[in-house]
Amino acid sequence: MLFRSIALTILTLPLAAQTPMPVIPPTGHVSTPDVTLAYWVYGAPQHTTPIFAVNGGPGLSHIYMVQNDLWLRIAQHRQVIFYDQRGTGASPLTNPSAPQTIDAQVADLDAVRDHLHLDKIDLCGDSFGGLLVIAYAAAHPEHVHKLIISDGLPSWKAIVHLFPQVYPDKLEANEAAARRSEEHTSEL
């Protein structure tokens, strides 16, 4: 009986230590011609560099990154910023034919950074977010203090082939928007 109690305690201890972060409304929004970007700020401004936690995907919101209290613990010592990438989660496209390119994603990340008046940021990119933060660092090295890549991909090609299988609805919507754009262009 004592062994079972100890085993049960050991097995449930990691679960008790990982409390999900509360789901809260966005702290604010940044509007661009193509998208309204929702962002969340945890923690007060500190003397340390704020960190942007950039989620994977494409097509996923930031929610999967807040399934434990890790970021809340980090936010006790530095500001942590999440945002939902274009067309996902709480960041709807305002232009149905908006590009889904890495350059557009980099511009979105920079729009949130600029909106928050942050000169230097640390970037932590998970999975596809790793590719995005690498592209951001290449485009805007003057704004990057540190770069962290978690579970990164070897290349964009490693993820693109899965997109139609995982997000067929987004692929269909993108193809329909492209057709409408081509039809509109041919009418001119």
Side-chain angles (χ1 to χ4, degrees), residues 84-138:
D84 279 347
Q85 296 164 17
R86 59 176 43 222
T88 64
S91 294
L93 293 176
T94 54
N95 173 4
S97 60
Q100 293 288 350
T101 64
I102 198 77
D103 290 340
Q105 296 279 3
V106 166
D108 291 347
L109 175 53
D110 197 54
V112 176
R113 181 210 53 81
D114 185 59
H115 176 79
L116 295 172
H117 307 289
L118 300 172
D119 184 46
K120 289 279 189 186
I121 57 175
D122 290 343
L123 293 167
C124 177
D126 180 63
S127 188
F128 168 74
L131 294 175
L132 179 50
V133 299
I134 290 169
Y136 184 88

Side-chain angles (χ1 to χ4, degrees), residues 171-186:
L171 185 65
E172 290 170 12
N174 288 346
E175 289 171 351
R179 282 192 301 275
R180 284 192 303 273
S181 178
E182 287 174 10
E183 290 168 1
H184 177 72
T185 304
S186 67

Side-chain angles (χ1 to χ4, degrees), residues 4 15 115 167:
R4 280 191 202 171
L15 297 175
H115 176 79
Y167 303 103

